[in-house]
Structures are given as structure tokens and as C-alpha cells.
Amino acid sequence: MEANTKTIKSLAVLCSGGDSPGMNSAVRSVVRTAIGLGIDVYGIYKGYSGLLEGNIQKLNLSSVGNIIQRGGTILDTSRCLEFHTPEIRQEAAHILARKHIDALIVIGGNGSFTGAMTLHQEHDIPVIGIPGTIDNDISGTEYTIGFNTAVQTAVNAVDNIRDTASAHARTFLVEVMGRKSSFIALQVGICTGAEHVVLSNQAVDYEKIVNGINKGTERGKTSSIIIVAEGEKAGLSYEIKDTLMTQYNLSVHACILGHIQRGGSPTALDRLIASKMGYAAVQGLNQGLHCHVTAFNKGEIEMVPLSACMEGKNESTEAQLELIRALAI
């Protein structure tokens, strides 16, 4: 791995883009690992926007006490369109220099990583990315912080919905998050025994949905659950519902789970992986890595080049869809 000879005496950490459960665990791990190595650590509040505003505070051990169980992020987060401008990134680099901050750790998704890599390329600032997004859609890593919690939250909600669906003999469309990724929908579909899953990157196959519902009805099934990945904008489940009711004369209800999937206390798995990634990020900087990501692959944390995480994750869905079909008969 390419390494930087620059000695890291101080670093800053920020969260960017959508929040995800486990971000606080990662922040805690970064802060305590850095302090243990004698590195000064700063928190940047509200992501790249906060960096540009100079919203930066030095953190100590107490700053991250009692946060590992909390959802969201104590550093707050934001989306910063201004960071796409070279002049704005140059100002960000100047701010870091004025604060005597040697390196930056960015917790977020694809857009956040793009900003970090560009900042490194233009201004030679050492950066480490920690993948934090419930969508689990970052290439180069099998897992992103928050995915497990989001899936578990959705599973709990679908279990509750199935109770009322059964009681009223109804079909429910349950819409989960996943603008460009169907990973949440697929896992929730398997774990809840859903009869069908609508993917975000495929046209809706109404005939297959209706045939599945009718087949269940013929053997005495009174209710069905269809999981829908939201796609480019929330509300796809309502479009599907209207079509099923008007064109196929089915009684269907829709429920959008929305942002409840982002909130809540992180699961043990998310806390564990986030803690390991935070530790690895600081250790990587301390060892001279300067444009990498803490990836989770084959059960282990490894450092991969940031460029490898910008390619777009390939969704391998057929095996999971086949499992859903096999178990829904």
C-alpha cells in the first residue's frame, strides 16, 4: 500500500451525508484510539459545511462518553453541494492548515468519499474513509455501518404489519429505503418471509406479484407481504398499490417505513464493526496510509484504496431472489 511519510500529530473526524446507526461508535473509537496514540483529535460538526464554517472543536475522552448506544451522530451531519467547487475545497484545506490539522477521517457514503478523495488529490491531505450508510452500497467493502440496524428495524416493523395483515386478510406493500440499492429490501424480504420483493433497479412485474398472491390464496393463505425498495423517490409503493387495486381488483395497503430505518440504537454488530473501523482508521493514518477506506471483507477489517470504493457496488440479487421465491410457495 502506498504510504505517506508525513507524521500525523493531529486529525479531525466528520460525518457527512445521511446519518446511520453506529456513526457514534465509530467517532468514539476514532477519538479514543487517537488520544491513546498521543494524537490530538478534533470534531468537525455538520460535515463539510461545518468544516467551511470553522465549526471545529478539540475532543477529549469525555467528549465521546456514553454515546456508543446512541443513534444518529453527536457531530451532526449535512450535505454540502458547495464542496463540489475547487475554490471551496481550497478554502477547506486552508482552514485545516490554520487549525494545524494534519489529516481527516470522513464517515459517510459515496458522495462523502468523493469529497475526501478530491481534497486529498488537490491538496495532499491524508484522508481515511469509514463507510457509514444504511444502503450498504459502497464498492470495495462488503458491509457499511448502519446496514444491520436498518434491516433489523425494518424486520421488526414488517413483523408488526404482518400481524394486522393476517387479522384483516390483507396484502401489504411495505416500502423500505434504498434509492439506488436493494440490499435492505432483499434482506428484509428473506427475514420476514415476504412473498415478493420489488427491486429499485427493475421494472415492476405486476403479473408475477398477482400470480404469487393468487397462488397463496388458492392454498388458503389470507394475507401477503410485498417488500418494495423505494427507488429514486419515496412513494413507489403507492403507485404499485393503485395499479393492483384498479387493474387487478386486489385489496392492498401500503406502508412507507421511511427514516425510522436510520434512527434508533445501533445493533451489536454495527457497534462492533464501527468500533473496529474507527480503530483501524487511526492506526492506518499513524502508519502512513493517506487515501484509504476501512473495509469489511471476509469477516475482517482491511484497508483498501479509496479509489476502489468509488466504482459503484455490483448488486448480486438473483441468489437472494431465488431464495425468496423458493420459500414463498
Side-chain angles (χ1 to χ4, degrees):
M1 289 185 181
E2 185 182 2
N4 192 348
T5 57
K6 180 179 180 181
T7 300
I8 303 299
K9 296 181 179 179
S10 63
L11 63 85
V13 56
L14 63 80
C15 298
S16 174
D19 62 302
S20 61
M23 279 185 166
N24 281 329
S25 303
V27 171
R28 173 182 179 270
S29 182
V30 166
V31 171
R32 297 197 168 180
T33 302
I35 291 175
L37 292 172
I39 299 172
D40 290 334
V41 58
Y42 294 82
I44 300 175
Y45 292 79
K46 293 190 179 299
Y48 289 117
S49 295
L51 171 56
L52 296 171
E53 295 165 0
N55 194 353
I56 304 170
Q57 296 180 23
K58 190 172 184 179
L59 302 177
N60 56 38
L61 297 176
S62 297
S63 302
V64 292
N66 198 32
I67 68 168
I68 196 170
Q69 77 281 9
R70 291 169 56 184
T73 164
I74 63 163
L75 294 180
D76 299 330
T77 184
S78 69
R79 303 184 192 277
C80 183
L81 297 179
E82 296 85 353
F83 213 74
H84 291 260
T85 307
E87 294 77 13
I88 294 297
R89 293 192 295 270
Q90 184 175 54
E91 177 57 25
H94 289 164
I95 291 171
L96 291 173
R98 289 197 296 270
K99 294 285 188 178
H100 303 289
I101 294 172
D102 298 325
L104 182 65
I105 293 176
V106 174
I107 308 171
N110 288 307
S112 307
F113 284 4
T114 299
M117 186 165 69
T118 308
L119 191 63
H120 166 73
Q121 292 171 336
E122 294 175 345
H123 302 285
D124 198 30
I125 296 172
V127 296
I128 297 290
I130 297 178
T133 167
I134 66 170
D135 289 339
N136 196 28
D137 60 349
I138 297 177
S139 61
T141 180
E142 296 173 359
Y143 190 85
T144 62
I145 297 169
F147 177 68
N148 184 257
T149 305
V151 169
Q152 187 60 59
T153 298
V155 166
N156 292 342
V158 174
D159 287 347
N160 292 342
I161 290 169
R162 190 176 279 282
D163 287 343
T164 193
S166 178
H168 291 273
R170 291 172 176 167
T171 292
F172 268 82
L173 296 160
V174 183
E175 185 172 312
V176 300
M177 281 186 156
R179 187 166 63 91
K180 295 181 179 180
S181 167
S182 299
F183 288 110
I184 293 177
L186 286 165
Q187 284 212 10
V188 171
I190 293 170
C191 295
T192 59
E195 282 69 26
H196 191 79
V197 173
V198 177
L199 305 182
S200 61
N201 59 349
Q202 294 182 359
V204 180
D205 190 336
Y206 287 101
E207 294 297 330
K208 184 175 288 187
I209 293 174
V210 172
N211 288 340
I213 293 173
N214 290 338
K215 187 175 180 180
T217 301
E218 289 171 1
R219 67 176 178 84
K221 202 171 189 178
T222 59
S223 64
S224 296
I225 295 290
I226 312 298
I227 304 297
V228 180
E230 66 183 358
E232 288 296 331
K233 62 178 182 177
L236 175 60
S237 56
Y238 284 110
E239 297 179 20
I240 298 173
K241 169 193 168 184
D242 291 341
T243 300
L244 291 175
M245 292 181 70
T246 58
Q247 297 186 25
Y248 297 92
N249 197 32
L250 292 176
S251 176
V252 183
H253 291 258
C255 179
I256 299 177
L257 299 186
H259 285 76
I260 67 165
Q261 296 158 93
R262 280 194 186 167
S265 181
T267 60
L269 180 61
D270 274 322
R271 299 184 199 193
L272 176 64
I273 294 179
S275 297
K276 288 183 175 182
M277 285 185 171
Y279 174 82
V282 177
Q283 292 288 355
L285 285 172
N286 194 49
Q287 294 164 12
L289 300 183
H290 61 119
C291 192
H292 288 73
V293 170
T294 58
F296 182 83
N297 292 314
K298 297 181 179 179
E300 300 291 339
I301 304 297
E302 61 179 2
M303 305 300 293
V304 302
L306 184 50
S307 58
C309 298
M310 308 301 301
E311 301 167 355
K313 197 166 188 175
N314 181 35
E315 287 193 6
S316 179
T317 60
E318 189 53 41
Q320 295 184 82
L321 285 174
E322 178 56 34
L323 177 59
I324 291 169
R325 288 192 289 266
L327 300 182
I329 62 173

